[in-house]
Amino acid sequence: MSFEDSHFETKAVHVGSAPDPATGAVIPPIYQTSTFAQESPGRNRGYEYARTRNPSRTALEECMAALEGVASGGPGGALCFSSGMAATSTVLQTLSPGDHVVLSLDVYGGTHRVIAKVFAQWGLDYTAVDMTAVDAVKQALRERTRMVWVETPTNPLLGIVDIAAVAELAHSVGALCVVDNTFATPYLQQPIELGADAVVHSTTKYLGGHSDVVGGALVTCSEDLHERAKFLQNAVGAVPGPFDCWLTLRGLKTLPLRMHAHCHNALRVASFLEGRDDVAEVRYPGLSSHPGHELAARQMLGFGGMVSFRPSGGLDAAQRIVESTRVFTLAESLGGIESLIELPGVMTHASVAGTEAEVLPDLVRLSVGIEHADDLIADLERALGA
């Protein structure tokens, strides 16, 4: 049965998860194998070696493509990787020395690091700008610009970038527009529908959703990019294992339900923080005070589960807060069912210290989980008063 015309929730449950034809198992098995028997040399049943293809990975890729709005059998598709950075690096490897990338100034530290400290050494040029200002993107474009790399909401400041406007600018100079959709997920935001050429994910985060698997994905409507990235996926070999794929596919089935809870709790938490004298600044797109609130409301179904804030007491207060919570766990990463708290400047974004992308040291980032909102607020209230 085709689920092309089904709603998102139905696709999340069923695409890539047809009952096993051999046994009737409702949940597809884990194909924990490295190689496949061939009928004769070069003649197989679509699988020959697990680095190249594996049924567990195929199932996940089919579901990822459907959820990001890439039709089965159409141009492009989804490719899954061993981490979000593997997906990011594969996209960047499709570029050539001398090519230019426009990068969001507020971006995941690992993305900035791999461009500035790895690909720049191979001849890739880049310019980092505040993409919440569309004119800044326009000014950064060059004759050699081949890719515009967008994060929205941005990490960790939660800025909102106009995907449609930036994609149009990228296309005006013949560049691809790639959107890191990790924070929003395909449930809340559809970048390809808004004009982007490709989407990348750290599937470790909301898509897996349970903090028990590491992975990444690329989804694109460009047949050329898909074929080049598919070649690199096999040639370089940064592929996920079958069990990783199975866990991520399982996570996708509950993504809509979890995102509703994340969004609800994040708004409650952000509203609580905004009303306190001991909090100097709160950044959450769901607040009417957020400069990107109206844009977020237009291009997103909900405002996500990430909240950032700065306490009035500066770095000392921030350090005390992250060490005092009991429900929020002090840890890197995000997007799991449990709530996490961190200081990006010395944790997830430590690699950008001293660069144009450096994060303020007293910024606290929250990944708001699906616990009861009252318990989360009580935990933060206790920590703020510690």
Side-chain angles (χ1 to χ4, degrees), residues 35-91:
T35 192
F36 301 84
Q38 300 192 19
E39 299 172 9
S40 61
R43 184 182 175 189
N44 56 62
R45 303 176 189 178
Y47 298 93
E48 55 186 25
Y49 187 59
R51 187 188 70 243
T52 306
R53 292 188 76 210
N54 179 284
S56 297
R57 191 165 85 230
T58 299
L60 176 58
E61 290 173 342
E62 289 176 354
C63 191
M64 284 298 308
L67 297 185
E68 285 288 2
V70 175
S72 174
L79 298 168
C80 290
F81 296 87
S82 55
S83 69
M85 285 310 305
T88 293
S89 296
T90 298
V91 175

Side-chain angles (χ1 to χ4, degrees), residues 157-353:
L157 295 180
L158 301 172
I160 301 297
V161 179
D162 190 331
I163 295 173
V166 171
E168 184 176 356
L169 284 174
H171 297 159
S172 72
V173 296
L176 294 175
C177 177
V178 179
V179 177
D180 185 332
N181 205 28
T182 298
F183 270 27
T185 80
Y187 183 63
L188 299 182
Q189 183 168 266
Q190 294 272 298
I192 291 175
E193 183 179 300
L194 292 169
D197 301 286
V199 169
V200 294
H201 283 280
S202 170
T203 59
T204 309
K205 312 304 193 294
Y206 287 107
L207 302 187
H210 294 76
S211 300
D212 55 8
V213 62
V214 174
L218 161 67
V219 186
T220 179
C221 60
S222 165
E223 187 64 24
D224 177 65
L225 178 59
H226 182 258
E227 288 303 312
R228 292 163 70 192
K230 186 177 180 180
F231 170 81
L232 289 166
Q233 181 194 46
N234 180 55
V236 178
V239 296
F243 188 44
D244 295 338
C245 294
W246 187 90
L247 284 172
T248 305
L249 185 61
R250 179 207 60 178
L252 287 176
K253 297 178 190 302
T254 60
L255 177 65
L257 299 174
R258 289 184 285 105
M259 293 313 298
H260 277 293
H262 287 298
C263 292
H264 171 269
N265 285 355
L267 181 57
R268 287 279 311 277
V269 165
S271 299
F272 159 76
L273 292 170
E274 190 177 41
R276 292 186 63 92
D277 293 336
D278 51 3
V279 174
E281 179 186 10
V282 182
R283 301 186 67 90
Y284 180 65
L287 296 174
S288 59
S289 58
H290 189 286
H293 175 71
E294 292 185 4
L295 174 58
R298 291 199 303 271
Q299 73 181 20
M300 298 176 71
L301 180 65
F303 300 106
M306 302 299 297
V307 178
S308 291
F309 72 96
R310 297 174 64 201
S312 300
L315 178 58
D316 288 344
Q319 186 88 17
R320 185 184 69 250
I321 291 165
V322 301
E323 292 176 353
S324 300
T325 55
R326 301 173 188 172
V327 181
F328 283 85
T329 299
L330 177 59
E332 298 191 7
S333 198
L334 59 102
I337 52 176
E338 70 292 320
S339 293
L340 303 179
I341 190 169
E342 68 139 354
L343 294 182
V346 293
M347 295 175 70
T348 54
H349 290 66
S351 63
V352 298

